[in-house]
Structure formats: C-alpha cells, structure tokens
Amino acid sequence: MGDSQRNNKGNGKDKENYEAWTKEDSNELLYLMVDAIKSGQHDANGSLSKINVERVILPRLNAKIRFPKTYNHYLNRMKWFKKQYNNMSTLMRNNSGFG
C-alpha cells in the first residue's frame, strides 16, 4: 500500500504535470478569442474552428504564459467559460432588483 496507491489518486489523470489556469491566462485567452473574431477568423456561424485555434490563438497564448496549453486545455476552459456565463445569466434573470 505504499507508493503505488499515492501515485494513482483521483480519477486516474496524471495530476503531477497539471497546471491550473490563472486569472491572467484566462484573460489572455479571452482577449485572443475576441481579437480573432474581430479580425474575421471565425466560421459562418461565428464559432472558432479547431484549425484557427491551433494556428492563431494557441501559439500567441503559449508565447505569453508560463505553462503551454493544448487544444484540449482550450476546450476545457471553454466549458468553464460557458458554465460561468450560464451561472451569471441565471443570477441576473432571477434578480428582480427588489430585496
């Protein structure tokens, strides 16, 4: 029950090499996404394609942050952004303005 159990905690992911997103990393990603959309690097439906993310956004992001991010990191952060947006929109929808 020694070292083998300690190394396999959680859901099986390698957590030793995991680096959490910082506030600055998230802000930089948002800035780069808005910049890419403003410059017309989006699909007809307004979303960013995997090719554009990998060619344009991730290289710029990785040049500015300490720990490089992959497309999977990008997808997970997008899920987090959507969750935060949904939480805030629910809060604002249910807020009538009266105590």
Side-chain angles (χ1 to χ4, degrees), residues 26-90:
S26 295
N27 288 342
E28 187 63 30
L29 177 61
L30 280 175
Y31 173 77
L32 291 171
M33 288 170 41
V34 169
D35 189 45
I37 290 172
K38 281 184 178 180
S39 64
Q41 298 172 348
H42 57 83
D43 294 341
N45 63 359
S47 65
L48 295 167
S49 69
K50 180 178 180 180
I51 294 171
N52 284 336
V53 170
E54 289 180 333
R55 263 198 255 156
V56 177
I57 295 174
L58 289 178
R60 290 182 189 172
L61 179 67
N62 289 335
K64 294 183 179 186
I65 63 175
R66 185 173 172 193
F67 297 102
K69 305 294 183 189
T70 64
Y71 185 72
N72 285 333
H73 291 122
Y74 165 81
L75 290 177
N76 287 333
R77 185 53 27 166
M78 288 302 299
K79 289 179 193 176
W80 184 84
F81 283 140
K82 288 178 184 179
K83 181 180 175 185
Q84 296 300 312
Y85 173 79
N86 288 334
N87 289 342
M88 288 297 125
S89 64
T90 301

Side-chain angles (χ1 to χ4, degrees), residues 1-9:
M1 287 212 178
D3 293 333
S4 64
Q5 263 190 337
R6 271 187 243 131
N7 291 337
N8 294 326
K9 289 182 181 177

Side-chain angles (χ1 to χ4, degrees), residues 94-99:
N94 295 329
N95 185 3
S96 66
F98 297 102

